[in-house]
């Protein structure tokens, strides 16, 4: 198994560190190949006689499958926890189910414990730990021969401490023993150059009880309490426009890379089904869907990984650690707006493969937090200033008629453009949704929204000049 330069350097750094301490933390940008590095480190420790067994923990069964395959191949031994195996991999959710007899293994043998996406493990004390972090503090911290913490986003959205981590004063940033950032990964051709498209509209009208407010941007619309981001991503025309732009980009990439695929990150299962319908029925795309309700989600994901299907629509099933290198376009319509989730989603389309067209495109609404995250990623790649392209040509204009509640309910709109508001609650008096229009966003105050202006797209292109000059 040939290692990338950063992987070799990280393994060497860990072996040196293990001479004086038992814990090592590696930060490597999503898509860089942390699992292969970890498997190589385990192989070296076994060859040196430093460890007897290897235990891995990860956030999902899908990631477990990837870890199991990689470790079994590199160590040339079974990695399933059965008789004769060198180790096994478990999800963090399974941790509290492990018995005292299991944890006794760490006290009687030299065990190497690997924690993938360690930011899921909260707490440096039992008093502030979550259930998974508590298991680490009680059963791993002082009993494992060596531990390896891996992360692509080494912080928690709640700013809580991460287990076994050291923090640097005065800004309380996490200390990593080895770091491999996106800038280095792109320069080494380990990750693709990201392009983030921020979609906005310059004339939005919101009607509430026959009063109309006009907004010049999505960010301005969402400043007040009268309309929510969740309602916006459930708006049919918003979904259709964002999917259509994503489909156009994927079609462009597939001209030179016919196997390229796209990911749609949905907010809920109902939302995902609506997005799938738009992709298949309106945009004539081949697509599949994977959610927590899917009977065999790992099989669906692996089937998409090996196929030529254009799109996969997911609700929380394709995130951190899921390896599908043919993904090159992502339409972000999740209701989660944390930087950690944002970077993990972006990481799904950054993994380089053998094809020539190594583009990566993320489409998202220009909501204030998501815009901030895009520009923060751009700051990680300082060799080029941001290039902003604004488009508002006629083919991108989307004019929606102003409908009343009765017109939308009865479909009595004459020759006006029909607005599909299924799952989108219209207001009655006092701006409250009527019982007959309850939907997946019941708690949201959803009103009659018209997007009358031209769409504009800010395209944050990162690292272009650096790559061309290197």
């Amino acid at each position: 198994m040939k290692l990338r330069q950063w992987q070799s350097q990280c393994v060497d750094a860990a072996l040196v560190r293990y001479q004086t301490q038992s814990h090592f933390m590696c930060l490597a940008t999503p898509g860089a190949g942390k699992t292969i590095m970890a498997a190589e480190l385990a192989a070296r420790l076994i060859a040196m006689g430093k460890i007897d067994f290897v235990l891995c923990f990860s956030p999902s069964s899908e990631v477990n499958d990837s870890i199991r395959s990689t470790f079994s191949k590199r160590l040339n031994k079974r990695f399933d926890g059965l008789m004769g195996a060198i180790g096994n991999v478990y999800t963090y959710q399974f941790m509290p189910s492990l018995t005292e007899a299991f944890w006794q293994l760490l006290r009687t043998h030299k065990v190497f414990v690997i924690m993938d996406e360690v930011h899921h493990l909260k707490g440096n004390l039992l008093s502030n730990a979550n259930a998974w972090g508590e298991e680490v503090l009680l059963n791993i911290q002082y009993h494992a021969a060596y531990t390896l913490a891996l992360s692509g986003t080494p912080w928690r959205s709640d700013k809580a401490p991460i287990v076994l981590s050291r923090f640097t004063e005065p800004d309380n940033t996490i200390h990593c023993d080895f770091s491999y950032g996106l800038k280095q990964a792109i320069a080494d051709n380990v990750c693709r150059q990201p392009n983030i498209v921020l979609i906005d509209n310059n004339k939005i009208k919101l009607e509430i009880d026959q009063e109309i407010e006009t907004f010049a941007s999505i960010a301005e619309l969402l400043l007040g309490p009268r309309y929510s981001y969740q309602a916006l991503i459930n708006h049919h025309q918003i979904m259709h426009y964002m999917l259509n732009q994503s489909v156009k980009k994927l079609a462009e990439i597939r001209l030179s890379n016919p196997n390229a695929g796209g990911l749609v990150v949905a907010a809920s299962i109902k939302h995902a089904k609506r997005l799938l319908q738009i992709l298949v029925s309106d945009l004539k795309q081949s697509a599949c869907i994977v959610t927590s309700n899917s009977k065999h989600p790992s099989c669906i994901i692996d089937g998409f990984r090996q196929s030529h299907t254009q799109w996969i629509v997911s609700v929380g099933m394709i995130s951190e650690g899921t390896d599908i290198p043919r993904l090159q376009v992502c339409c972000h319509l999740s209701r989660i707006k944390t930087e950690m989730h944002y970077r993990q989603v972006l990481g799904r389309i950054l993994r380089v493969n053998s094809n020539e067209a190594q583009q990566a495109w993320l489409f998202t609404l220009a909501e204030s937090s998501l815009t901030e995250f895009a520009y923060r990623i751009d700051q990680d790649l300082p060799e080029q200033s941001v290039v902003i392209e604004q488009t508002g040509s006629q083919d991108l204009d989307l004019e929606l008629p102003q409908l009343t509640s009765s017109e939308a309910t009865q479909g009595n709109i004459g020759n006006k453009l029909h607005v599909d508001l299924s799952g989108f609650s219209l207001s009655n008096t006092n701006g409250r949704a009527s019982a007959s229009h309850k939907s997946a966003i019941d708690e949201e105050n959803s009103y009659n929204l018209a997007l009358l202006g031209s769409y504009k797209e800010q395209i944050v292109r990162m690292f272009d000049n650096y790559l061309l000059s290197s």
Side-chain angles (χ1 to χ4, degrees), residues 7 10 27 47 59-60 126 176 219 271 288 360 367 390 419 448 454 464:
Q7 293 167 330
C10 186
L27 162 65
S60 72
L126 290 177
C176 298
H271 189 219
C288 60
E367 185 272 340
Q390 295 189 2
V419 183
N448 191 12
S454 300
D464 241 351

Side-chain angles (χ1 to χ4, degrees), residues 183-359:
K183 173 183 174 181
Q184 296 165 280
I186 294 174
D188 293 342
N189 292 320
V190 169
C191 287
R192 298 174 179 135
Q193 165 197 324
N195 299 277
I196 302 176
V197 182
L198 302 170
I199 294 177
D200 209 343
N201 191 281
N202 60 9
K203 188 178 181 182
I204 304 171
K205 285 191 176 182
L206 181 65
E207 181 181 343
I208 307 172
D209 295 335
Q210 298 183 338
E211 293 184 7
I212 296 176
E213 293 183 67
T214 303
F215 305 89
S217 67
I218 286 173
E220 184 181 331
L221 170 69
L222 298 178
L223 275 177
R226 309 184 96 177
Y227 204 82
S228 73
Y229 175 75
Q230 185 173 348
L232 202 61
I233 60 176
N234 276 272
H235 192 290
H236 179 81
Q237 298 292 1
I238 293 277
M239 293 188 291
H240 195 285
Y241 182 84
M242 289 190 64
L243 288 175
N244 189 45
Q245 295 307 102
S246 302
V247 164
K248 287 179 180 178
K249 180 54 64 177
L250 182 62
E252 176 186 312
I253 294 174
R254 282 172 74 104
L255 291 175
S256 54
N257 178 14
N259 194 42
L263 166 67
V264 180
V265 184
S268 66
I269 294 175
K270 183 175 182 179
H271 189 219
K273 290 179 178 178
R274 294 178 64 198
L275 293 166
L276 180 72
Q277 184 178 16
I278 294 171
L279 280 172
V280 175
S281 300
D282 297 354
L283 303 177
K284 310 304 179 187
Q285 298 287 289
S286 57
C288 60
I289 186 171
V290 59
T291 73
S292 58
N293 280 2
S294 302
K295 289 186 177 180
H296 303 288
S298 294
C299 293
I300 295 173
I301 293 172
D302 191 58
F304 176 81
R305 182 184 290 116
Q306 306 299 330
S307 74
H308 292 274
T309 302
Q310 290 160 305
W311 292 93
I312 184 166
V313 184
S314 168
V315 185
M317 302 302 293
I318 301 178
S319 54
E320 52 197 2
T322 306
D323 180 10
I324 310 178
R326 75 183 191 91
L327 286 177
Q328 293 189 241
V329 178
C330 177
C331 183
H332 182 283
L333 285 164
S334 170
R335 66 171 177 266
I336 303 173
K337 296 182 295 176
T338 66
E339 186 168 8
M340 184 172 71
H341 181 264
Y342 186 87
R343 286 180 179 252
Q344 290 289 353
V345 167
L346 178 62
R348 297 317 98 211
I349 58 174
L350 296 185
R351 200 177 296 264
V352 169
N353 57 17
S354 59
N355 291 294
E356 292 184 7
Q358 292 298 319
Q359 299 182 52

Side-chain angles (χ1 to χ4, degrees), residues 34-51:
K34 293 185 288 294
T35 303
I36 291 176
M37 183 281 296
E40 177 65 24
L41 180 55
R44 297 273 289 273
L45 289 170
I46 292 171
M48 296 166 66
K50 298 287 188 180
I51 58 173

Side-chain angles (χ1 to χ4, degrees), residues 23 103 116 225 246 251 266 272 289 308 393 422 431 454 463:
H23 182 65
W103 293 118
D116 190 32
S246 302
I289 186 171
H308 292 274
S393 57
S422 57
S454 300
F463 225 62

